[in-house]
Amino acid sequence: MAKNLVIVESPAKAKTIKKFLGKDYEVIASYGHVRDLPKSSMGVNPEDDFEPHYITIRGKGEVLASLRKEVKKAKKIYLATDPDREGEAISYHLAIALKLPEKSYQRITFNEITKNAVKESIKNAREIDMNLVDAQQARRVLDRLVGYEISPLLWQKVKRGLSAGRVQSVALKMICDRENEISAFIPEEYWTLDSLLQCPGNKGETAFHYVGDIKNQEEAEKIMKDLEKKDFIVSEVKEGTRTRKAPLPFTTSTLQQDASSRLNMATSKTMSLAQQLYEGVEVKGRGSVGLITYLRTDSVRVSAEADEAARSFIKEKYGEEYIADASADGNKGKRIQDAHEAIRPTYIDITPESLKDSLPRDLFRLYQLIYNRFLASRMKPAVYKTCAITVKAGEEKFKATTSSLSFSGFMEVYAMNSEENDDKIKNTLLFKEGSVLTLARFDSKQHFTAAPSHFTEALLVRTMEENGIGRPSTYAPTIGTILNRRYIVKENKNLYVTELGEAVNGIMEKAFPVIIDTEFTANMESLLDKIGEGVIAWKVVVRNFYPDLDSAVKNAEKVLENVHIADEVSDTVCDECGRMMVIKYGPHGKFLACPGFPECRNTKPYYEKIGVACPKCGNELITRLSQKGRRYYGCLGYPECDFMSWAKPAKDKCPECGSYMVEKGSKLFCSNQECGFVIPKKNEEEQGK
């Protein structure tokens, strides 16, 4: 007897769905995409109105043959790929590759793999949405045009194997711009001043913070001297309450950010694990279960059924007073992924604790994070009792604040970062307006303003989202690409640009400023959304985009030829043929090569001397690259001498403590942080004297 055939992307998904549909259905996997543009050529012909040329992906012939056998036996076919543009495109290409008759198949989608959701999707089966297919096709074609037009220029200028991309190049520019900000940042001095005061009847001291700006030590000392004989009088005691709202349930972006900060997971790993949780994992006593809803979403909306189930669970476990008053959903604007719900558990009764014996550690931790965040989003805010005490001494003010948690609310299940700038006042009742406090001592401290923080994967994802760069499905692959290309490296969560990344970004800024403009890229995402909504035809967008790209490429070929610099000749003699070796640029930075290539293939490491003696041994300091491609300054005598510095050392010694100085913008800073001495950097003329 012929069966209904359901085609999904993965075997795990097939296994989870199969148990919901029974013996009348066969569920098989396509193992992802089956057709794509060829790798060996652009696959898009601008002369033929940008018609894409698709081919069967290598290795998918056997999969398609197996699928065709099942198709012949099926009475009806359901294409059940993921519920987004890419999933819609996979279904379209399956229909083409399998040569499915138009009336023989339908498209079904579900945001969670549960029995009700899957059966409901079959009841609401529809045709393939060609607007969504066209939106995905437009993205693919645009990315192919950018990559295959610009990448050859990078091969010519730097090395073969490099790539440029419509989104990845913008992400690289963001990181380069941030690194430039950090390098150019000049710390500014400021001071904080605390008065440690004793309240009548209280033996302890309470620190009150000075209200105002103090630029330097002289100002701090003047304030302290002026206040030594002043009375410190409590001028205001203000009690109140403060609430901390529950977090919204996860979107793709916020999940990646929280998994990075809380679980130390890379974006690629987070998405891989979330995909497993969505498609289905083996749970003891239940078989294969899809534990979370679809993982690529911009939405924070939650279905009425899931919301009600969560509230019932909260009432039963924590009490009715913990249930949020109203829906915690937010509005993030209309995007294609906003058709989905937020990322949440599919079954609220499957608690993380019940899965400890079923899931590997990382899967368990990620599920626990998603589960607790969703549950917290349905709970009331946390409430704090606050007290702010202001003290006047002459014309100056000092202030201390304290808070204590009076109602935990959502924090019962989802702890947030600890409060900052919160003083622990032992007994606020002792402080009355008009009370005179006794000055025990002052505590003044020197500080310097901090440079902007380096990008982490989480911060880069958030910044891309805020600027409208990419979509949930593109964040992790984009970061993965620039990491794999060694344009950036990751150390202790921070992302640093490499010399190779700087070179590629420099070319893109010079020759293709529009391609890496954030507003342009965000506007292109908006146009892709409009294609998906059926407002604009996809070829109209491509036709309008390509002429500017083509013109920029042709102009860049001329410009890059004009600015091409011959290999710099070094002072090192090739010990194989006697020629003077030249400086070359490779994937890991500069190196020395014989200009007699290919007759002579001799190469050597390139040591870029900075003209400063090593503070440890007196040898030359040189520029080096870490194993991950980050620039630092080390001793030419390594490994005998292990001196290294991330900041560039200067010739000058600190006049205060004798330590070596480092360059930072237009100033020199003592490398000894405890010293903190700073002087203006000498210009070249002064250095030559």
Side-chain angles (χ1 to χ4, degrees):
M1 180 178 174
K3 294 184 177 183
N4 297 302
L5 178 65
V6 179
I7 303 177
V8 298
E9 297 105 311
S10 74
K13 198 174 179 181
K15 187 177 180 181
T16 308
I17 292 172
K18 171 64 178 172
K19 69 178 186 177
F20 298 141
L21 296 178
K23 62 183 181 179
D24 292 335
Y25 289 83
E26 187 66 41
V27 186
I28 55 176
S30 70
Y31 294 87
H33 291 270
V34 294
R35 295 205 314 164
D36 197 7
L37 299 172
K39 290 185 177 180
S40 58
S41 62
M42 185 183 293
V44 179
N45 187 0
E47 303 299 323
D48 187 24
D49 200 21
F50 305 99
E51 195 63 33
H53 171 61
Y54 294 103
I55 62 169
T56 300
I57 295 172
R58 181 175 293 181
K60 287 300 179 78
E62 291 184 11
V63 174
L64 285 172
S66 175
L67 287 171
R68 289 186 185 108
K69 288 181 183 178
E70 297 297 332
V71 164
K72 288 180 181 177
K73 296 186 289 183
K75 62 179 180 180
K76 194 160 188 178
I77 301 157
Y78 296 98
L79 302 175
T81 50
D82 283 349
D84 58 10
R85 288 178 190 158
E86 190 170 4
E88 206 75 19
I90 293 175
S91 285
Y92 168 77
H93 288 294
L94 276 168
I96 299 297
L98 297 174
K99 299 179 181 178
L100 300 180
E102 190 173 338
K103 301 294 183 181
S104 69
Y105 67 91
Q106 286 185 294
R107 172 83 165 114
I108 60 173
T109 60
F110 33 81
N111 290 328
E112 59 182 82
I113 304 179
T114 61
K115 187 173 184 178
N116 288 342
V118 172
K119 289 198 167 185
E120 192 65 26
S121 71
I122 290 177
K123 290 179 185 176
N124 294 286
R126 58 172 172 78
E127 295 181 356
I128 288 176
D129 188 336
M130 286 308 299
N131 291 328
L132 297 182
V133 174
D134 286 345
Q136 179 65 20
Q137 185 163 246
R139 177 186 290 280
R140 196 78 184 90
V141 169
L142 289 168
D143 290 346
R144 182 56 67 102
L145 289 170
V146 170
Y148 277 61
E149 290 274 2
I150 297 177
S151 294
L153 289 169
L154 298 179
W155 301 349
Q156 175 189 336
K157 183 67 177 174
V158 187
K159 68 178 288 289
R160 289 193 66 83
L162 301 183
S163 71
R166 190 179 56 83
V167 176
Q168 77 177 54
S169 297
V170 181
L172 176 61
K173 182 180 185 299
M174 286 179 171
I175 298 170
C176 288
D177 288 348
R178 177 61 61 90
E179 291 297 299
N180 290 336
E181 280 184 59
I182 294 170
S183 297
F185 180 79
I186 307 297
E188 294 183 3
E189 181 184 10
Y190 70 97
W191 285 67
T192 56
L193 176 62
D194 289 351
S195 60
L196 282 85
L197 306 175
Q198 290 180 330
C199 183
N202 187 3
K203 294 181 180 179
E205 299 172 352
T206 301
F208 285 77
H209 310 302
Y210 178 76
V211 179
D213 298 325
I214 306 175
K215 295 180 181 177
N216 50 50
Q217 186 175 3
E218 290 75 19
E219 287 188 13
E221 289 176 347
K222 183 178 184 303
I223 293 170
M224 288 187 285
K225 187 175 180 180
D226 291 344
L227 297 181
E228 280 179 352
K229 296 180 181 180
K230 300 286 187 182
D231 288 332
F232 286 77
I233 302 171
V234 177
S235 62
E236 183 181 42
V237 178
K238 188 175 182 180
E239 295 184 340
T241 59
R242 174 171 54 84
T243 60
R244 188 165 193 172
K245 289 183 178 179
L248 296 170
F250 280 131
T251 64
T252 303
S253 169
T254 54
L255 174 62
Q256 291 174 350
Q257 292 171 49
D258 250 34
S260 174
S261 61
R262 291 171 179 261
L263 308 180
N264 199 24
M265 283 185 185
T267 53
S268 56
K269 183 175 183 178
T270 299
M271 295 304 286
S272 175
L273 293 175
Q275 187 76 31
Q276 293 178 52
L277 292 173
Y278 165 68
E279 291 180 346
V281 293
E282 288 295 322
V283 175
K284 290 180 181 179
R286 290 179 178 254
S288 182
V289 180
L291 290 173
I292 66 170
T293 53
Y294 191 54
L295 59 149
R296 295 180 181 89
T297 176
D298 284 332
S299 176
V300 292
R301 289 185 295 101
V302 171
S303 70
E305 294 81 5
D307 180 69
E308 182 57 37
R311 291 170 183 273
S312 296
F313 183 87
I314 294 165
K315 180 179 179 180
E316 182 179 333
K317 185 168 183 179
Y318 300 100
E320 192 165 357
E321 68 273 20
Y322 281 87
I323 303 172
D325 293 332
S327 172
D329 297 342
N331 180 12
K332 294 195 68 178
K334 190 175 182 182
R335 291 183 181 175
I336 189 64
Q337 283 83 5
D338 200 48
H340 311 316
E341 287 187 64
I343 303 172
R344 60 167 176 81
T346 50
Y347 304 97
I348 199 67
D349 61 315
I350 302 183
T351 63
E353 292 76 18
S354 69
L355 297 176
K356 272 191 174 179
D357 295 333
S358 297
L359 300 183
R361 179 175 180 268
D362 284 341
L363 270 177
F364 170 78
R365 292 166 72 217
L366 189 63
Y367 178 71
Q368 184 179 50
L369 187 70
I370 294 168
Y371 184 98
N372 289 348
R373 173 86 168 217
F374 170 65
L375 200 62
S377 74
R378 308 294 108 181
M379 298 175 76
K380 279 188 176 176
V383 180
Y384 294 84
K385 286 183 179 179
T386 63
C387 182
I389 302 171
T390 304
V391 172
K392 288 193 72 175
E395 296 301 317
E396 307 294 353
K397 287 184 180 180
F398 291 82
K399 195 168 187 176
T401 60
T402 189
S403 64
S404 60
L405 187 65
S406 61
F407 177 69
S408 57
F410 75 91
M411 293 180 72
E412 280 288 318
V413 295
Y414 196 80
M416 303 295 282
N417 295 331
S418 59
E419 296 292 319
E420 296 182 359
N421 301 320
D422 194 34
D423 311 304
K424 299 302 177 186
I425 303 175
K426 292 180 180 178
N427 190 345
T428 58
L429 297 177
L430 293 176
F431 293 88
K432 305 291 184 181
E433 290 185 11
S435 299
V436 179
L437 308 182
T438 303
L439 173 65
R441 58 191 169 90
F442 285 114
D443 183 15
S444 60
K445 290 180 181 177
Q446 181 190 41
H447 306 272
F448 290 93
T449 53
S453 58
H454 291 279
F455 272 119
T456 60
E457 288 194 38
L459 180 56
L460 184 59
V461 165
R462 189 176 79 191
T463 307
M464 290 174 68
E465 182 187 39
E466 288 173 350
N467 285 276
I469 307 301
R471 284 295 183 264
S473 60
T474 66
Y475 300 142
T478 296
I479 295 172
T481 297
I482 54 181
L483 277 168
N484 293 336
R485 296 286 181 187
R486 296 187 64 83
Y487 296 167
I488 61 172
V489 294
K490 184 165 71 169
E491 294 181 11
N492 299 323
K493 286 192 177 183
N494 290 335
L495 302 178
Y496 299 93
V497 67
T498 64
E499 280 192 300
L500 184 60
E502 288 175 350
V504 171
N505 184 62
I507 290 173
M508 294 299 294
E509 283 190 318
K510 183 177 183 63
F512 305 101
V514 173
I515 298 295
I516 58 175
D517 179 72
T518 54
E519 288 188 17
F520 172 82
T521 307
N523 183 57
M524 187 59 69
E525 294 291 352
S526 177
L527 290 174
L528 292 173
D529 288 345
K530 289 180 179 178
I531 295 171
E533 294 163 9
V535 177
I536 305 175
W538 77 270
K539 285 191 176 181
V540 171
V541 174
V542 178
R543 288 179 200 135
N544 290 336
F545 170 80
Y546 183 72
D548 289 337
L549 172 66
D550 187 51
S551 174
V553 169
K554 289 175 180 175
N555 182 61
E557 287 174 342
K558 298 175 184 176
V559 172
L560 294 179
E561 287 174 358
N562 292 337
V563 299
H564 181 71
I565 301 172
D567 292 328
E568 183 182 348
V569 180
S570 73
D571 57 1
T572 304
V573 178
C574 176
D575 47 21
E576 292 190 11
C577 70
R579 294 182 176 94
M580 298 303 293
M581 301 190 82
V582 296
I583 299 170
K584 290 280 189 179
Y585 210 129
H588 308 301
K590 296 176 181 177
F591 66 96
L592 294 176
C594 182
F597 182 88
E599 293 82 12
C600 180
R601 296 175 176 265
N602 187 26
T603 61
K604 288 184 176 182
Y606 172 72
Y607 299 122
E608 186 177 351
K609 299 175 182 178
I610 66 172
V612 177
C614 174
K616 259 192 170 182
C617 70
N619 208 333
E620 289 273 4
L621 287 184
I622 59 174
T623 302
R624 290 186 179 275
L625 293 177
S626 69
Q627 289 185 344
K628 293 187 176 181
R630 185 182 172 195
R631 183 189 291 111
Y632 71 95
Y633 302 92
C635 182
L636 185 61
Y638 180 83
E640 287 75 17
C641 178
D642 62 355
F643 173 83
M644 69 84 63
S645 171
W646 293 114
K648 186 178 180 180
K651 291 180 180 179
D652 306 65
K653 299 291 183 185
C654 176
E656 294 286 329
C657 70
S659 301
Y660 69 94
M661 306 284 283
V662 295
E663 295 184 10
K664 200 79 170 176
S666 61
K667 294 185 179 181
L668 298 180
F669 292 79
C670 181
S671 59
N672 180 3
Q673 292 185 353
E674 293 182 2
C675 174
F677 185 77
V678 183
I679 57 173
K681 187 167 69 174
K682 297 177 182 177
N683 58 37
E684 293 182 7
E685 185 178 331
E686 290 173 324
Q687 289 175 346
K689 290 181 180 179

